[in-house]
Amino acid sequence: ALARWDSMENIAAHKALRDRVRQRRVNRRQAMFIGLRLKRPNQSGASPPVGQNAVYSALIVNAIITCCKGSAFLYTGSGSMFAETIHSVADFFNQLLLAIGLNRSQRMADQKHPYGYANEQYVWSMISGVGIFFLGCGMTTYHGVSTLF
């Protein structure tokens, strides 16, 4: 090696250059592999993820609607207002699960999850959808059975 590179400093410089090129190649392959899901830090002026504003707006509006319907139920004692209050509570928790998913999916990649957390929003959306489905099925079954007996 000394005969080719003339000195130890030249060997170290060539080795450092080779390591940088190798690291660049690995980074390029990783970026190609994960495509657009590679999470980058938000730059100033960057727009929020798609749907984030809608989810937060729906969360706030559902909380207000739930309070209004709950107040109307307490004032009137109407059974239909009670049902609407329960429906609004379910909507609120649905939006809350979606908001949790959006927040958790924006975390940067780390050692444990080198490709980031972008797919976590889909898991929380699935939990929300399955929860609504099974709660609806449970309430319908309960109502049907209680009506029969």
Side-chain angles (χ1 to χ4, degrees):
L2 278 175
R4 179 175 171 150
W5 298 104
D6 294 330
S7 70
M8 291 300 286
E9 291 83 21
N10 288 343
I11 292 172
H14 179 69
K15 185 177 176 187
L17 175 67
R18 188 179 61 201
D19 289 343
R20 281 195 308 270
V21 168
R22 215 177 261 159
Q23 187 60 44
R24 235 181 286 140
R25 194 176 304 138
V26 167
N27 290 344
R28 205 171 327 130
R29 284 182 190 153
Q30 285 177 345
M32 264 187 347
F33 178 71
I34 57 179
L36 297 176
R37 293 190 179 151
L38 181 64
K39 301 298 275 184
R40 291 184 174 85
N42 285 336
Q43 295 138 0
S44 60
S47 61
V50 176
Q52 185 176 13
N53 291 336
V55 168
Y56 289 134
S57 298
L59 188 65
I60 292 168
V61 169
N62 280 329
I64 294 169
I65 290 172
T66 301
C67 291
C68 291
K69 288 181 180 179
S71 299
F73 163 69
L74 291 175
Y75 182 72
T76 63
S78 169
S80 63
M81 285 311 297
F82 178 68
E84 283 297 317
T85 302
I86 298 299
H87 180 249
S88 293
V89 168
D91 284 344
F92 175 77
F93 282 112
N94 175 34
Q95 294 300 323
L96 185 65
L97 288 173
L98 294 176
I100 290 170
L102 281 173
N103 280 339
R104 291 179 60 97
S105 70
Q106 293 176 22
R107 292 185 293 172
M108 296 296 295
D110 56 15
Q111 285 293 96
K112 190 174 180 184
H113 297 92
Y115 298 118
Y117 294 85
N119 288 335
E120 197 163 332
Q121 69 185 3
Y122 303 118
V123 173
W124 285 95
S125 297
M126 184 184 70
I127 290 170
S128 172
V130 169
I132 288 173
F133 177 75
F134 282 112
L135 285 174
C137 287
M139 292 301 292
T140 303
T141 303
Y142 170 74
H143 181 67
V145 169
S146 67
T147 303
L148 288 175
F149 300 109

